[in-house]
């Protein structure tokens, strides 16, 4: 479970990206995080993962404060960033082992997890090659493997489908569903409303640093009496 309580984040002392935001993200569900560019999605995700520190408020991951109990809290998290362009001089297997070392994944479990994940995303043929020679999609798949190698309880995924080929996107969606069905937490941002419609149990819509809707998509459709998802989203933003 993720608990966000009264969180505020301001940049340069005058640009408030997140405004006194509170949100409880339960176990056993897939929660979609939706908002316009600049609405505060990535800022909130970076605070949830401990990359940024809130100016005010608290964030806990399975009852562990992401700032005060940072190492223990982060052991619970699998995080896929919005950019796969990192550590590109490493080969794929070097990168996965590097992340496995950070999370203290033992050799037996590591071997099993790497084999399973690499096969799922069809990466066997590129593991020994530097990631700087990968396509964007290959890099994205490697980020997914590295994020999940330590079997985290809480998945926080920032636009995880971007760049994935259709088969890999299907595989990741299946994994997300299985993870939630096992009683764990899946929280991901997306610009693709159809993905949210088909995959999410609930959605959280953010605008100008505030959550303006949190609940099921069905309830939102009933409230605004609109079935076109783009029109529905724009109507919610308009009404705030």
């Amino acid at each position: 479970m993720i608990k966000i309580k009264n969180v505020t984040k301001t940049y340069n002392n005058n640009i408030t990206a997140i405004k006194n935001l509170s949100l409880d993200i339960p176990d056993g569900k897939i929660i979609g995080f939706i908002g316009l560019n600049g609405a505060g999605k990535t800022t909130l995700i970076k605070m949830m993962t401990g990359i940024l520190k809130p100016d005010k408020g608290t964030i806990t991951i399975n009852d562990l404060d992401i700032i005060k109990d940072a190492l223990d809290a982060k052991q619970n998290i699998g995080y896929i960033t919005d950019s796969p362009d990192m550590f590109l001089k490493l080969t794929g297997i070097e990168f996965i082992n590097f992340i496995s070392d950070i999370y203290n994944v033992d050799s037996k479990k590591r071997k099993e997890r790497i084999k399973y994940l690499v096969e799922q995303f069809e990466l066997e043929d590129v593991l020994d090659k530097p990631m700087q020679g990968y396509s964007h999609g290959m890099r994205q798949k490697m980020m997914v493997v590295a994020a999940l190698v330590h079997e985290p309880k809480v998945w926080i995924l920032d636009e995880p489908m971007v760049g994935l080929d259709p088969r890999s996107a299907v595989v990741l969606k299946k994994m997300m569903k299985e993870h939630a069905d096992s009683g764990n937490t899946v929280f991901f941002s997306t610009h693709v409303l159809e993905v949210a419609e088909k995959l999410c149990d609930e959605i959280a819509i953010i605008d100008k640093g505030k959550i303006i809707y949190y609940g099921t998509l069905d309830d939102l459709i009933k409230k605004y009496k609109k079935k076109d998802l783009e029109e529905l989203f724009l109507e919610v933003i308009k009404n705030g």
Side-chain angles (χ1 to χ4, degrees):
M1 175 177 280
I2 304 170
K3 291 187 177 182
I4 303 166
K5 185 175 181 181
N6 304 127
V7 165
T8 294
K9 182 65 180 179
T10 300
Y11 295 110
N12 301 322
N13 296 318
N14 63 353
I15 300 174
T16 303
I18 300 294
K19 303 175 183 178
N20 196 37
L21 187 151
S22 295
L23 184 65
D24 285 352
I25 302 164
D27 295 330
K29 290 187 177 182
I30 301 175
I31 308 300
F33 192 36
I34 303 170
L36 299 172
N37 291 335
K41 296 192 305 298
T42 296
T43 294
L44 183 61
I45 285 175
K46 286 184 175 179
M47 288 192 289
M48 291 164 66
T49 53
I51 297 170
L52 293 177
K53 183 178 180 180
D55 298 329
K56 297 179 182 178
T58 59
I59 298 174
T60 58
I61 308 293
N62 289 346
D63 298 321
L64 295 165
D65 190 291
I66 193 63
I67 301 301
K68 296 178 181 178
D69 308 304
L71 289 179
D72 289 335
K74 290 176 183 179
Q75 287 287 337
N76 286 267
I77 297 172
Y79 169 51
I80 299 176
T81 178
D82 59 343
S83 172
D85 299 328
M86 59 184 70
F87 300 104
L88 297 184
K89 292 186 178 181
L90 297 180
T91 66
I93 192 62
E94 287 173 341
F95 176 63
I96 297 171
N97 278 318
F98 170 62
I99 299 299
S100 298
D101 288 341
I102 290 174
Y103 286 100
N104 299 312
V105 182
D106 66 57
S107 58
K108 181 181 178 181
K109 178 180 175 182
R110 180 183 308 198
K111 186 177 180 180
E112 293 171 352
R113 287 292 290 169
I114 291 175
K115 183 177 186 297
Y116 169 72
L117 291 167
V118 165
E119 287 178 352
Q120 289 295 307
F121 290 100
E122 299 182 331
L123 291 167
E124 298 96 326
D125 294 339
V126 299
L127 275 183
D128 61 347
K129 295 179 173 60
M131 293 194 299
Q132 61 188 0
Y134 289 10
S135 66
H136 179 89
M138 284 288 187
R139 292 176 187 175
Q140 184 70 4
K141 289 194 284 185
M142 199 60 70
M143 294 300 119
V144 174
V145 172
L148 305 184
V149 70
H150 63 296
E151 296 186 283
K153 297 291 185 182
V154 175
W155 293 8
I156 301 175
L157 318 176
D158 197 354
E159 297 287 348
M161 308 296 174
V162 174
L164 291 184
D165 58 82
R167 181 195 172 279
S168 297
V170 169
V171 170
L172 181 55
K173 291 173 189 176
K174 180 182 176 183
M175 286 182 171
M176 292 166 69
K177 185 72 166 60
E178 291 172 347
H179 194 66
D181 287 345
S182 297
N184 298 305
T185 305
V186 178
F187 182 83
F188 79 104
S189 69
T190 181
H191 282 105
V192 184
L193 299 180
E194 288 78 8
V195 171
E197 178 185 31
K198 294 177 181 178
L199 191 59
C200 297
D201 297 299
E202 296 178 339
I203 59 171
I205 300 177
I206 187 171
D207 185 46
K208 298 176 183 176
K210 296 181 178 180
I211 298 296
I212 58 174
Y213 179 78
Y214 181 52
T216 68
L217 190 56
D218 284 344
D219 285 345
L220 197 60
I221 290 171
K222 290 175 184 176
K223 179 178 179 180
Y224 286 96
K225 297 180 174 58
K226 291 180 182 291
K227 292 186 177 180
D228 183 282
L229 295 180
E230 291 185 0
E231 288 185 11
L232 177 63
F233 174 69
L234 292 174
E235 187 74 14
V236 176
I237 294 295
K238 178 182 176 181
N239 287 280

